Amino acid sequence: MSGAERKVAVVTGASSGIGAATARALAAVGYLVIVGARRVNRLEALAREIGGSARPLDVTDAASVVAFCGAVPEQLHVLVNNAGGAHGLGPVAQANDQDWAWMYEANVLGLMRVTKGLLPRLEAGRGHIVNITSIAGREVYPGGAGYTAAKHAAVAVTRTLRLELSGKPIRVTDVAPGMVETEFSVVRFKGDTERAATVYQGLTPLTAEDIADCVVWAVTRPAHVNIDEIVVKPVAQASATVVARGAGL
Ligand code: 8X3
């Protein structure tokens, strides 16, 4: 793809981890990538590296989403809703309202706002929406209710969207990762890097690039093919709660 034929992709939460890897991978297969996130310094370096453009985006802020969407070209080919994350890991009995509200804002309302804002452009571009959900959208685990509830909601929104867009030329894919070593756990544990490292001890976790690979594969299928869902976990992870550590996997 080059010149006027160059397709356009938007990736949210692109300043690190899965978002940044996905932006790089889409650029590598020819997309002009618009990256959005709160941390604009990191974004600008990434945009320079991949020949794309960087825009400030806080999906928890409706005005920020409106401004971001207004800067996207009239025809959009791929939207990767990656922004989101977990705050805290603890029982419902000790749930923190602020953490739960942030998780719902970032993982559910944020996804809705960006999708709603870009739908006309996606329709004009016969586009593809890829929502990065999680195995936490399919399973639950002790201490995870705030995050698993939000990710179950994100999966429900994704499935609903596919029904509502029936008859329109827009594909909808859910990519649901298990254990991926990124800043995810550092953010969940509010900067406690030692605790975050224990999550991935004794196994080979997925990398952000593994997930980017799934996104690129889904969006590069022929136009009549819709990949509904990809659930991807490390070999050492059988489920959200069954993980083989120290098995050499
Ligand atoms: C991250 C996967 O299992 O930590 O989305 O919830 S998990």
Side-chain angles (χ1 to χ4, degrees):
M1 283 180 272
S2 66
E5 286 174 28
R6 207 158 170 214
K7 291 191 171 183
V8 180
V10 163
V11 181
T12 71
S15 58
S16 66
I18 293 171
T22 300
R24 287 191 178 95
L26 288 169
V29 296
Y31 284 88
L32 174 68
V33 186
I34 302 169
V35 287
R38 286 167 299 172
R39 293 176 291 188
V40 182
N41 287 352
R42 290 167 74 159
L43 265 191
E44 280 169 352
L46 173 65
R48 270 195 302 278
E49 176 196 324
I50 65 174
S53 67
R55 299 267 165 198
L57 173 64
D58 178 354
V59 300
T60 70
D61 174 348
S64 168
V65 174
V66 169
F68 178 86
C69 293
V72 173
E74 289 304 314
Q75 290 194 6
L76 177 62
H77 305 95
V78 171
L79 164 63
V80 182
N81 280 309
N82 167 71
H87 275 189
L89 179 70
V92 174
Q94 284 147 32
N96 171 311
D97 275 31
Q98 266 187 327
D99 284 346
W100 279 55
W102 182 84
M103 288 189 277
Y104 223 80
E105 274 286 340
N107 294 289
V108 188
L109 293 175
L111 180 152
M112 173 278 287
R113 289 186 187 112
V114 177
T115 304
K116 179 180 164 188
L118 293 176
L119 266 180
R121 290 165 168 83
L122 283 158
E123 188 168 356
R126 305 182 79 81
H128 193 153
I129 300 166
V130 182
N131 291 340
I132 308 297
T133 65
S134 172
I135 59 165
R138 290 163 172 78
E139 298 183 50
V140 296
Y141 49 86
Y147 181 63
T148 59
K151 283 299 192 185
H152 274 71
V155 171
V157 173
T158 307
R159 290 182 179 156
T160 304
L161 205 48
R162 197 176 295 115
L163 301 178
E164 291 175 356
L165 295 176
S166 174
K168 292 189 190 285
I170 302 179
R171 299 191 280 178
V172 181
T173 297
D174 173 356
V175 174
M179 296 170 90
V180 185
E181 189 161 16
T182 60
E183 290 177 1
F184 174 84
S185 291
V186 178
V187 173
R188 164 171 264 178
F189 299 132
K190 302 176 180 174
D192 184 341
T193 48
E194 272 176 39
R195 189 175 176 200
T198 65
V199 173
Y200 310 106
Q201 258 166 19
L203 67 122
T204 307
L206 298 176
T207 64
E209 288 72 25
D210 293 324
I211 308 308
D213 226 17
C214 294
V215 175
V216 168
W217 181 77
V219 304
T220 52
R221 294 312 86 209
H224 68 287
V225 177
N226 192 89
I227 305 298
D228 280 14
E229 302 181 351
I230 300 175
V231 179
V232 52
K233 305 194 274 19
V235 174
Q237 185 178 28
S239 77
T241 50
V242 178
V243 178
R245 297 182 196 272
L249 298 171

